[in-house]
Amino acid sequence: MRKKVDIINIKMIIKKVIAKRVKDSRGEATIQIIVQTSDGKFKTSAPSGKSVGKYEAKPYARDLNSDISIINNLNAKKINSLIIKKFEDLTKLEKVVKNKIGANSLFALEASLLKALACENEKELWQFLEGKTKKLPRPICNIIGGGVHSRGIKGKKPDFQEFLFISNAKTIEGCIKVNKIAHRFAYKLLRSQKKNDEGAWETNRSNEEVLEIMNVIKKKIKKKFNENLVIGIDAAASSFFKKTYNYKNPKRELSENKQIEAIKGLIKGYNLYYVEDPLNEDDFAGFKELNKEKCFIVGDDLTVTNPKRLKKAIKMKAINGVIVKPNQIGSLLKVKEVIALAKKAGIKTIMSHRSGETEDDTIADLGVGFGCDFIKTGIYGLVRESKLKRLVKIEKGLKR
Ligand code: 2PG
Ligand code: MG
């Protein structure tokens, strides 16, 4: 019988790397990468965003087709000669593909390679990344939507992109149960038949009206099930900012200072626990002002999973929460760096899906393996639930 230590020392042999185009939840084309070894096939599909930060890395170097052909022409022998055994060895791979492929492709390639390595080491992906996780990331769930993720009803929609709930149930299963009830209550109160890109309910109501409804749902769930929920928003403010903040529902124009005051008012008025991208992606100073409030002030378009931008946010004390979207940067080495920087600065980390998703559940393993505090996945529909199902499996100690 081979000793365990021998198994770990065996060099993984890649037989093939295959890239192909698949469709995401919006019906748009994205990349899937399959790494084939003697242990099997390991695949990852990249998601895609709609409220894309202007500082995000490009998803493809030139376009999807050219990235696909570059990856299909990668020589398996060459990758094997790099001797990739541990997470940090991804540096060797990045030297080879640097500037040749975009962030979506790099993310899918590295994740598939890590899945293969994890299997080689008889581990699940999350265990291979760190494995010392005590607490799983708490799900953040999108209940009602507006902004660029929603088409609106008779031309009207809330200006903010996401109205979110976070449950403090003890288990992931418990959180999912409460979030599902909240999603159903929202349907009853809104009488909406339409769901948006992320499975959140569409409405013609204003931001404030939706927050009132969120409060009603929160109280109902407390009364009926004795479960606690806190309210969050993703304003995705860059999507309606052009020198001033241009609200449509109701129509009003706010200066940068007035927007800060308005957000402060909402935090206090609705006891908001979590506020993502309340200001445009260049306003570090404004974020700093808001970060004095008793609330999570979270950067997404502001920080774009980029160590440089996060360092600036830390230096300026601009945020106390940061969104981590692997395909905003591509490199999983950088993703790890961003999470480590945030942790060191006492900033909470939120692993996040994109509005265009596939059933790929890699972010669940990344969220657990890197020890994130929260995970934003949505609550309705197969592509959202696949990540939650994976979390439940991890919680129960089950294998993939
Ligand atoms: C966000 C995300 C996901 P998108 O803004 O946080 O909810 O949206 O993927 O469109 O950038
Ligand atoms: Mg966001």
mmCIF file of all heavy atoms in Angstrom, residues 321-350:
data_model
loop_
_atom_site.group_PDB
_atom_site.id
_atom_site.type_symbol
_atom_site.label_atom_id
_atom_site.label_comp_id
_atom_site.label_asym_id
_atom_site.label_seq_id
_atom_site.Cartn_x
_atom_site.Cartn_y
_atom_site.Cartn_z
ATOM 1 N N GLY A 321 -16.200 46.634 4.768
ATOM 2 C CA GLY A 321 -16.595 45.383 4.124
ATOM 3 C C GLY A 321 -16.156 45.424 2.668
ATOM 4 O O GLY A 321 -16.158 46.499 2.053
ATOM 5 N N VAL A 322 -15.759 44.270 2.120
ATOM 6 C CA VAL A 322 -15.323 44.279 0.713
ATOM 7 C C VAL A 322 -15.877 43.062 -0.039
ATOM 8 O O VAL A 322 -15.856 41.944 0.460
ATOM 9 C CB VAL A 322 -13.775 44.349 0.595
ATOM 10 C CG1 VAL A 322 -13.083 43.090 1.101
ATOM 11 C CG2 VAL A 322 -13.341 44.629 -0.833
ATOM 12 N N ILE A 323 -16.419 43.365 -1.223
ATOM 13 C CA ILE A 323 -16.903 42.301 -2.112
ATOM 14 C C ILE A 323 -15.703 41.645 -2.801
ATOM 15 O O ILE A 323 -14.770 42.338 -3.210
ATOM 16 C CB ILE A 323 -17.861 42.905 -3.169
ATOM 17 C CG1 ILE A 323 -19.226 43.202 -2.556
ATOM 18 C CG2 ILE A 323 -17.985 42.026 -4.400
ATOM 19 C CD1 ILE A 323 -20.166 42.016 -2.412
ATOM 20 N N VAL A 324 -15.752 40.312 -2.900
ATOM 21 C CA VAL A 324 -14.695 39.572 -3.601
ATOM 22 C C VAL A 324 -15.346 38.812 -4.760
ATOM 23 O O VAL A 324 -16.117 37.882 -4.540
ATOM 24 C CB VAL A 324 -13.997 38.572 -2.649
ATOM 25 C CG1 VAL A 324 -12.909 37.798 -3.390
ATOM 26 C CG2 VAL A 324 -13.424 39.289 -1.434
ATOM 27 N N LYS A 325 -15.077 39.285 -5.984
ATOM 28 C CA LYS A 325 -15.592 38.595 -7.169
ATOM 29 C C LYS A 325 -14.384 38.128 -7.960
ATOM 30 O O LYS A 325 -13.681 38.950 -8.576
ATOM 31 C CB LYS A 325 -16.410 39.566 -8.033
ATOM 32 C CG LYS A 325 -17.742 39.999 -7.420
ATOM 33 C CD LYS A 325 -18.343 41.104 -8.277
ATOM 34 C CE LYS A 325 -19.719 41.512 -7.810
ATOM 35 N NZ LYS A 325 -20.143 42.788 -8.427
ATOM 36 N N PRO A 326 -14.119 36.816 -7.957
ATOM 37 C CA PRO A 326 -12.885 36.329 -8.590
ATOM 38 C C PRO A 326 -12.707 36.793 -10.032
ATOM 39 O O PRO A 326 -11.590 37.085 -10.447
ATOM 40 C CB PRO A 326 -13.029 34.811 -8.499
ATOM 41 C CG PRO A 326 -13.933 34.584 -7.332
ATOM 42 C CD PRO A 326 -14.879 35.741 -7.320
ATOM 43 N N ASN A 327 -13.803 36.892 -10.793
ATOM 44 C CA ASN A 327 -13.598 37.257 -12.206
ATOM 45 C C ASN A 327 -13.431 38.767 -12.425
ATOM 46 O O ASN A 327 -13.272 39.211 -13.546
ATOM 47 C CB ASN A 327 -14.724 36.692 -13.086
ATOM 48 C CG ASN A 327 -15.955 37.557 -13.068
ATOM 49 O OD1 ASN A 327 -16.305 38.133 -12.034
ATOM 50 N ND2 ASN A 327 -16.626 37.656 -14.203
ATOM 51 N N GLN A 328 -13.457 39.554 -11.329
ATOM 52 C CA GLN A 328 -13.130 40.980 -11.493
ATOM 53 C C GLN A 328 -11.627 41.159 -11.690
ATOM 54 O O GLN A 328 -11.178 42.190 -12.162
ATOM 55 C CB GLN A 328 -13.547 41.770 -10.239
ATOM 56 C CG GLN A 328 -14.998 42.189 -10.209
ATOM 57 C CD GLN A 328 -15.336 43.010 -8.974
ATOM 58 O OE1 GLN A 328 -14.752 42.813 -7.910
ATOM 59 N NE2 GLN A 328 -16.285 43.901 -9.088
ATOM 60 N N ILE A 329 -10.855 40.145 -11.240
ATOM 61 C CA ILE A 329 -9.395 40.271 -11.294
ATOM 62 C C ILE A 329 -8.752 39.083 -12.016
ATOM 63 O O ILE A 329 -7.684 39.208 -12.586
ATOM 64 C CB ILE A 329 -8.823 40.455 -9.853
ATOM 65 C CG1 ILE A 329 -7.339 40.805 -9.837
ATOM 66 C CG2 ILE A 329 -9.062 39.231 -8.973
ATOM 67 C CD1 ILE A 329 -7.043 42.240 -10.010
ATOM 68 N N GLY A 330 -9.426 37.921 -11.971
ATOM 69 C CA GLY A 330 -8.938 36.732 -12.695
ATOM 70 C C GLY A 330 -8.003 35.876 -11.879
ATOM 71 O O GLY A 330 -8.230 34.687 -11.683
ATOM 72 N N SER A 331 -6.942 36.472 -11.354
ATOM 73 C CA SER A 331 -5.925 35.705 -10.634
ATOM 74 C C SER A 331 -6.413 35.292 -9.243
ATOM 75 O O SER A 331 -6.768 36.139 -8.418
ATOM 76 C CB SER A 331 -4.672 36.570 -10.492
ATOM 77 O OG SER A 331 -3.876 36.100 -9.438
ATOM 78 N N LEU A 332 -6.380 33.992 -8.957
ATOM 79 C CA LEU A 332 -6.784 33.540 -7.615
ATOM 80 C C LEU A 332 -5.713 33.881 -6.578
ATOM 81 O O LEU A 332 -5.999 33.970 -5.394
ATOM 82 C CB LEU A 332 -7.113 32.047 -7.635
ATOM 83 C CG LEU A 332 -8.443 31.731 -8.348
ATOM 84 C CD1 LEU A 332 -8.693 30.231 -8.433
ATOM 85 C CD2 LEU A 332 -9.628 32.408 -7.667
ATOM 86 N N LEU A 333 -4.478 34.084 -7.046
ATOM 87 C CA LEU A 333 -3.428 34.560 -6.126
ATOM 88 C C LEU A 333 -3.812 35.941 -5.602
ATOM 89 O O LEU A 333 -3.678 36.239 -4.423
ATOM 90 C CB LEU A 333 -2.079 34.654 -6.861
ATOM 91 C CG LEU A 333 -1.423 33.338 -7.261
ATOM 92 C CD1 LEU A 333 -0.416 33.567 -8.370
ATOM 93 C CD2 LEU A 333 -0.767 32.675 -6.061
ATOM 94 N N LYS A 334 -4.324 36.777 -6.521
ATOM 95 C CA LYS A 334 -4.736 38.140 -6.129
ATOM 96 C C LYS A 334 -5.988 38.095 -5.245
ATOM 97 O O LYS A 334 -6.129 38.880 -4.318
ATOM 98 C CB LYS A 334 -4.996 39.002 -7.373
ATOM 99 C CG LYS A 334 -3.733 39.314 -8.162
ATOM 100 C CD LYS A 334 -3.466 40.812 -8.157
ATOM 101 C CE LYS A 334 -2.095 41.173 -8.671
ATOM 102 N NZ LYS A 334 -1.951 41.015 -10.126
ATOM 103 N N VAL A 335 -6.886 37.162 -5.560
ATOM 104 C CA VAL A 335 -8.096 37.012 -4.734
ATOM 105 C C VAL A 335 -7.679 36.705 -3.292
ATOM 106 O O VAL A 335 -8.163 37.309 -2.335
ATOM 107 C CB VAL A 335 -9.009 35.884 -5.297
ATOM 108 C CG1 VAL A 335 -10.109 35.516 -4.306
ATOM 109 C CG2 VAL A 335 -9.624 36.321 -6.626
ATOM 110 N N LYS A 336 -6.735 35.773 -3.162
ATOM 111 C CA LYS A 336 -6.247 35.409 -1.821
ATOM 112 C C LYS A 336 -5.597 36.622 -1.144
ATOM 113 O O LYS A 336 -5.797 36.859 0.051
ATOM 114 C CB LYS A 336 -5.248 34.247 -1.942
ATOM 115 C CG LYS A 336 -4.885 33.663 -0.599
ATOM 116 C CD LYS A 336 -3.976 32.457 -0.736
ATOM 117 C CE LYS A 336 -3.611 31.948 0.655
ATOM 118 N NZ LYS A 336 -2.712 30.812 0.610
ATOM 119 N N GLU A 337 -4.833 37.372 -1.936
ATOM 120 C CA GLU A 337 -4.152 38.562 -1.383
ATOM 121 C C GLU A 337 -5.171 39.592 -0.882
ATOM 122 O O GLU A 337 -5.012 40.155 0.206
ATOM 123 C CB GLU A 337 -3.265 39.172 -2.481
ATOM 124 C CG GLU A 337 -2.372 40.291 -1.984
ATOM 125 C CD GLU A 337 -1.616 40.983 -3.132
ATOM 126 O OE1 GLU A 337 -1.471 40.403 -4.229
ATOM 127 O OE2 GLU A 337 -1.189 42.142 -2.903
ATOM 128 N N VAL A 338 -6.208 39.815 -1.687
ATOM 129 C CA VAL A 338 -7.250 40.778 -1.305
ATOM 130 C C VAL A 338 -7.889 40.354 0.030
ATOM 131 O O VAL A 338 -8.065 41.177 0.941
ATOM 132 C CB VAL A 338 -8.320 40.889 -2.431
ATOM 133 C CG1 VAL A 338 -9.639 41.434 -1.918
ATOM 134 C CG2 VAL A 338 -7.796 41.770 -3.559
ATOM 135 N N ILE A 339 -8.198 39.078 0.148
ATOM 136 C CA ILE A 339 -8.856 38.599 1.374
ATOM 137 C C ILE A 339 -7.907 38.743 2.571
ATOM 138 O O ILE A 339 -8.310 39.187 3.650
ATOM 139 C CB ILE A 339 -9.353 37.144 1.186
ATOM 140 C CG1 ILE A 339 -10.469 37.132 0.132
ATOM 141 C CG2 ILE A 339 -9.846 36.544 2.510
ATOM 142 C CD1 ILE A 339 -10.887 35.767 -0.361
ATOM 143 N N ALA A 340 -6.632 38.422 2.363
ATOM 144 C CA ALA A 340 -5.661 38.539 3.463
ATOM 145 C C ALA A 340 -5.500 40.010 3.886
ATOM 146 O O ALA A 340 -5.472 40.312 5.083
ATOM 147 C CB ALA A 340 -4.315 37.958 3.030
ATOM 148 N N LEU A 341 -5.414 40.908 2.880
ATOM 149 C CA LEU A 341 -5.290 42.344 3.198
ATOM 150 C C LEU A 341 -6.489 42.824 3.999
ATOM 151 O O LEU A 341 -6.343 43.539 4.990
ATOM 152 C CB LEU A 341 -5.237 43.160 1.893
ATOM 153 C CG LEU A 341 -3.934 43.234 1.124
ATOM 154 C CD1 LEU A 341 -4.170 43.849 -0.255
ATOM 155 C CD2 LEU A 341 -2.916 44.083 1.904
ATOM 156 N N ALA A 342 -7.681 42.419 3.557
ATOM 157 C CA ALA A 342 -8.915 42.844 4.234
ATOM 158 C C ALA A 342 -8.922 42.332 5.675
ATOM 159 O O ALA A 342 -9.182 43.080 6.617
ATOM 160 C CB ALA A 342 -10.135 42.327 3.476
ATOM 161 N N LYS A 343 -8.607 41.059 5.831
ATOM 162 C CA LYS A 343 -8.641 40.473 7.185
ATOM 163 C C LYS A 343 -7.690 41.213 8.120
ATOM 164 O O LYS A 343 -8.028 41.484 9.264
ATOM 165 C CB LYS A 343 -8.264 38.992 7.121
ATOM 166 C CG LYS A 343 -9.393 38.151 6.596
ATOM 167 C CD LYS A 343 -9.061 36.693 6.699
ATOM 168 C CE LYS A 343 -10.274 35.914 6.255
ATOM 169 N NZ LYS A 343 -10.363 34.601 6.766
ATOM 170 N N LYS A 344 -6.502 41.489 7.607
ATOM 171 C CA LYS A 344 -5.500 42.166 8.425
ATOM 172 C C LYS A 344 -5.993 43.548 8.874
ATOM 173 O O LYS A 344 -5.685 44.003 9.972
ATOM 174 C CB LYS A 344 -4.209 42.301 7.610
ATOM 175 C CG LYS A 344 -2.999 42.439 8.464
ATOM 176 C CD LYS A 344 -1.717 42.282 7.700
ATOM 177 C CE LYS A 344 -0.619 42.976 8.492
ATOM 178 N NZ LYS A 344 0.315 43.659 7.643
ATOM 179 N N ALA A 345 -6.793 44.175 8.006
ATOM 180 C CA ALA A 345 -7.296 45.521 8.319
ATOM 181 C C ALA A 345 -8.636 45.473 9.061
ATOM 182 O O ALA A 345 -9.248 46.514 9.297
ATOM 183 C CB ALA A 345 -7.445 46.310 7.015
ATOM 184 N N GLY A 346 -9.101 44.276 9.395
ATOM 185 C CA GLY A 346 -10.372 44.146 10.124
ATOM 186 C C GLY A 346 -11.585 44.412 9.251
ATOM 187 O O GLY A 346 -12.656 44.776 9.739
ATOM 188 N N ILE A 347 -11.424 44.231 7.932
ATOM 189 C CA ILE A 347 -12.528 44.455 6.998
ATOM 190 C C ILE A 347 -13.205 43.119 6.687
ATOM 191 O O ILE A 347 -12.531 42.133 6.398
ATOM 192 C CB ILE A 347 -11.981 45.102 5.698
ATOM 193 C CG1 ILE A 347 -11.539 46.542 6.009
ATOM 194 C CG2 ILE A 347 -12.984 45.063 4.566
ATOM 195 C CD1 ILE A 347 -10.828 47.224 4.859
ATOM 196 N N LYS A 348 -14.537 43.082 6.771
ATOM 197 C CA LYS A 348 -15.262 41.836 6.496
ATOM 198 C C LYS A 348 -15.239 41.531 4.998
ATOM 199 O O LYS A 348 -15.299 42.448 4.162
ATOM 200 C CB LYS A 348 -16.721 41.936 6.964
ATOM 201 C CG LYS A 348 -16.860 42.153 8.467
ATOM 202 C CD LYS A 348 -16.597 40.876 9.238
ATOM 203 C CE LYS A 348 -16.779 41.095 10.719
ATOM 204 N NZ LYS A 348 -15.911 40.275 11.543
ATOM 205 N N THR A 349 -15.172 40.246 4.679
ATOM 206 C CA THR A 349 -15.078 39.847 3.269
ATOM 207 C C THR A 349 -16.360 39.144 2.816
ATOM 208 O O THR A 349 -16.920 38.326 3.542
ATOM 209 C CB THR A 349 -13.879 38.907 3.053
ATOM 210 O OG1 THR A 349 -13.962 37.844 4.005
ATOM 211 C CG2 THR A 349 -12.562 39.629 3.240
ATOM 212 N N ILE A 350 -16.781 39.486 1.601
ATOM 213 C CA ILE A 350 -18.013 38.923 1.043
ATOM 214 C C ILE A 350 -17.700 38.297 -0.304
ATOM 215 O O ILE A 350 -17.507 39.020 -1.301
ATOM 216 C CB ILE A 350 -19.101 40.021 0.857
ATOM 217 C CG1 ILE A 350 -19.386 40.715 2.194
ATOM 218 C CG2 ILE A 350 -20.388 39.426 0.277
ATOM 219 C CD1 ILE A 350 -18.866 42.137 2.273
#
